[in-house]
Amino acid sequence: MDIRVQDLRYFVAVADELSFTRAAEALFVSQPALSKQIRRLEAALGARLFDRDRRTVALTEAGAVLLPRARQMVGTWRGAEAEIAALSASRRTTLTVGFQTRIGRGLIPAITTRMRQALPDWRLVFRQVPWHDPTVGLAGGDTDVAIAWLPVPDGGAYAWKVVSTEERWVALPGGHRLAERDVVPFGELEAEPFLALPVSAGPMRDFWLAAAQRKAPPRIAAEAGTAEEALEGVAAGLGVTLIAAGNAEIYRRDDVVCRPVGGLPPSRLAVVWRAVDERPAVRLFAEACVRCLCA
């Protein structure tokens, strides 16, 4: 019987959502691909796991039996992945710091100084990670810590501390009708075309589209893999994008106008690490971030 952890992960997602559409969105896969995986699992087990029609999805008796065991196996596998990543990392004396937008804010020089004083044998390496990875390289072990905008995927795999809370601004093309406003109410932006993060960015995409504050779904003009791509799209007149107040200064350019947005909760910049990673270097880095920006 050829059953993979991914098959069980897909099954659990559908069981949680009782919707193939919502489960596919949560997993960042297409609905046909998800349906194919579930049929494959059912064929391998020789039992139907869901009763489904055009409107409803429900667990069968076999599905209800499998669900708690599938949750346990998926959880065990995720724990093993995290522990192996932490074990591999523990043998290094290089701390790889992931980021998705320029860090700035005077943070890196201050942290580097603190790290050199406390752990002179360690060195910092910085790696930019595109927005399509909402864990900023932590899930795959490409990074050890990350300076990341919340939200990051939740579920106990990651720990974080907020180091900066900043208003959300909007980046507008030069000459935009709202460019002369001192503050732009979000209601004035709802109908605007937006440059969006990739769908795989998950909750972070929704946050930077202000999905929770909208009355209707956003108009997506294009997707961008990095802040630089998004701002190039804004400068070209494709649409607008939300940006943190600090980044409005860091990414300042002549062909883009940035203005504060009224009516939105602020953004939060955090230092993030794998929860199972207990190395002193990781904790020291996190504490240094907090002290440097929260002091």
Side-chain angles (χ1 to χ4, degrees), residues 169-181 183-184 188-189 192-194 231 233-243 253-261:
W169 287 34
V170 62
L172 305 162
H176 191 278
R177 63 183 180 87
L178 298 172
E180 298 303 318
R181 297 281 191 93
V183 178
V184 179
E188 296 273 1
L189 294 170
E192 293 286 328
F194 266 70
L231 291 173
V234 171
L238 298 180
V240 305
T241 192
L242 295 178
I243 187 170
R253 47 190 292 172
D254 294 338
D255 50 4
V256 172
V257 177
C258 293
R259 292 288 182 265
V261 178

Side-chain angles (χ1 to χ4, degrees), residues 99-238:
F99 65 98
Q100 292 178 313
T101 61
R102 295 178 197 167
I103 299 171
R105 298 163 178 84
L107 189 59
I108 297 310
I111 290 175
T112 301
T113 299
R114 287 179 181 269
M115 292 290 289
R116 285 174 179 166
Q117 291 172 345
L119 297 172
D121 293 333
W122 283 72
R123 68 188 185 101
L124 298 178
V125 173
F126 295 88
R127 178 170 297 169
Q128 185 168 19
V129 180
W131 277 331
H132 66 71
D133 180 355
T135 73
V136 200
L138 291 170
D142 296 321
T143 61
D144 300 302
V145 292
I147 306 296
W149 294 99
L150 299 181
V152 295
D154 204 355
Y158 307 105
W160 62 82
K161 292 182 179 181
V162 174
V163 297
S164 181
T165 300
E166 302 180 5
E167 291 182 351
R168 277 184 278 183
W169 287 34
V170 62
L172 305 162
H176 191 278
R177 63 183 180 87
L178 298 172
E180 298 303 318
R181 297 281 191 93
D182 291 332
V183 178
V184 179
F186 181 66
E188 296 273 1
L189 294 170
E190 286 197 67
E192 293 286 328
F194 266 70
L195 277 298
L197 277 62
V199 173
S200 59
M204 190 165 56
R205 169 186 165 107
D206 291 340
F207 180 82
W208 290 106
L209 288 171
Q213 287 75 40
R214 290 180 178 272
K215 299 174 183 177
R219 291 174 56 200
I220 305 301
E223 292 185 351
T226 64
E228 288 82 0
E229 288 181 14
L231 291 173
E232 287 296 338
V234 171
L238 298 180

Side-chain angles (χ1 to χ4, degrees), residues 13-14 16-29 31 34 55 57:
V14 177
D16 285 343
E17 298 288 349
L18 292 180
S19 164
F20 278 77
T21 300
R22 291 194 298 272
E25 291 174 353
L27 293 164
F28 313 123
V29 299
Q31 187 172 332
L34 176 59
R55 291 189 174 183
V57 175

Side-chain angles (χ1 to χ4, degrees), residues 33 75-76 78 116 168 171 174 188 220 246-247 258 270 283 291 293:
T76 300
R78 285 176 175 165
R116 285 174 179 166
R168 277 184 278 183
E188 296 273 1
I220 305 301
N247 283 351
C258 293
R283 298 309 169 101
R291 288 179 182 175
L293 281 184

